Amino acid sequence: MTASCSSENVLADFANKDSDEALYIDAKKALDEMEWATTVDIINNQLSSTYQSRRDVKLVLASAYAGSCGLLFANLIQGMTNNASSQMFRYFMGIWAGQTVNPDDCELAIGVLQGIGTAAQRSTKENLFLALLGVARMGTNMAANLDSGDQNGSIDADATVCHEDASGSLTRWPDAPNPAPPDTIRDEFGHPPLGMTKYMSSTAMKRVASGFGLVLENFAALSDALGAGTSVDAIGDLSDDCDSALSAIAGSAVSCATMVTPAGVSDEMVYAMRFMMDSADFGFGTCSIDDSVAFFGTLGSYDILTDSPPPGLCCPSTKIPGASF
């Protein structure tokens, strides 16, 4: 015992440093040191498949991916506490001000936890983790695409949420049919704004939408952890507006809480998220969600020759999915 206190442990040569148990301890030590890549390497490439399937090991792996994404609990709580924005999308993006983010690794963390099972099969801790990863999925994708210039937590002046790319291609209103003059609809609804070099692709928008779905799916765990308050209440309000908007576009009742993977996000949902992100109610713009939703209900009777879109229409130059003109 005396010798082991002043020099290398005399039993070190007899210890098995390659056992699953020893490697798992190394992985957790690496996680504590925020050595994300080392943690991932140990778990994915050095542990046995049996040990990899353990729930506690999966939680460590998800934590490493989340850390690499940018989700550090202390920073998240500080960001949520210091962020005073009342618009939810500004709030979610503002959490990551000044931070380096890697949204792809958030996807890996989410995949690990969703692989455990459904919300009912996961523990409260796992559901809380997924809710926070939903916040991270939303915020990091917006920060990486809309705030990459100065990383100050606000949308850059050359960024837009309304189009698939900077030109507005693929989602612009089409030319009006005869007998209307060419470009009637396009002019009436406005052209995509010029000089916008940053934008949200459909892939990024589907991540944002499914991130919000994760928050809603695991809302009970998040509410229990954070308690009642402005942020939690606002998420519930956004959920109601999301359901109303998506249902108006789709023509039937749809719940945003059911879209928890990017693959499960419809084109209608992508558009709904775009116009909510463009709104004054929850996003970065000045338009009205109520005016937009009301307009969706008139599409069947809309006359391009005599009617005008409401001035408060969100993402006015972006074609609404399913519109027949």
Side-chain angles (χ1 to χ4, degrees), residues 68-137:
S68 181
C69 169
L71 176 55
L72 298 177
F73 187 74
N75 290 348
L76 176 65
I77 297 303
Q78 183 178 13
M80 294 177 74
T81 302
N82 294 340
N83 193 337
S85 177
S86 60
Q87 288 86 9
M88 285 305 298
F89 289 106
R90 293 179 188 236
Y91 178 83
F92 285 134
M93 190 175 78
I95 291 172
W96 313 95
Q99 297 188 49
T100 299
V101 298
N102 182 4
D104 290 344
D105 281 349
C106 270
E107 296 304 303
L108 295 174
I110 290 168
V112 171
L113 291 176
Q114 287 182 325
I116 291 174
T118 64
Q121 294 168 330
R122 297 189 298 261
S123 68
T124 300
K125 179 195 295 186
E126 291 160 350
N127 284 334
L128 173 60
F129 196 177
L130 266 173
L132 296 178
L133 279 167
V135 173
R137 176 185 259 175

Side-chain angles (χ1 to χ4, degrees), residues 136-161:
R137 176 185 259 175
M138 297 175 69
T140 59
N141 277 280
M142 287 189 289
N145 290 281
L146 303 176
D147 187 30
S148 60
D150 49 22
Q151 296 182 319
N152 66 347
S154 300
I155 189 171
D156 292 341
D158 58 347
T160 178
V161 300

Side-chain angles (χ1 to χ4, degrees), residues 283-300:
F284 307 103
T286 58
C287 64
S288 165
I289 285 181
D290 290 339
D291 288 344
S292 297
V293 172
F295 178 68
F296 301 155
T298 67
L299 283 178

Side-chain angles (χ1 to χ4, degrees), residues 129-241:
F129 196 177
L130 266 173
L132 296 178
L133 279 167
V135 173
R137 176 185 259 175
M138 297 175 69
T140 59
N141 277 280
M142 287 189 289
N145 290 281
L146 303 176
D147 187 30
S148 60
D150 49 22
Q151 296 182 319
N152 66 347
S154 300
I155 189 171
D156 292 341
D158 58 347
T160 178
V161 300
C162 288
H163 302 298
E164 170 70 15
D165 58 26
S167 69
S169 64
L170 302 180
T171 56
R172 293 176 61 180
W173 287 95
D175 291 337
N178 290 328
D183 289 336
T184 296
I185 291 181
R186 211 173 271 171
D187 288 338
E188 186 177 358
F189 283 85
H191 290 266
L194 299 175
M196 297 297 167
T197 59
K198 301 184 183 78
Y199 50 87
M200 296 287 288
S201 68
S202 288
T203 297
M205 289 303 303
K206 287 181 178 182
R207 286 183 175 183
V208 171
S210 57
F212 187 55
L214 277 180
V215 173
L216 298 179
E217 180 194 49
N218 302 282
F219 189 66
L222 183 65
S223 299
D224 289 343
L226 298 182
T230 302
S231 299
V232 174
D233 294 341
I235 291 173
D237 293 340
L238 182 58
S239 174
D240 294 338
D241 280 311

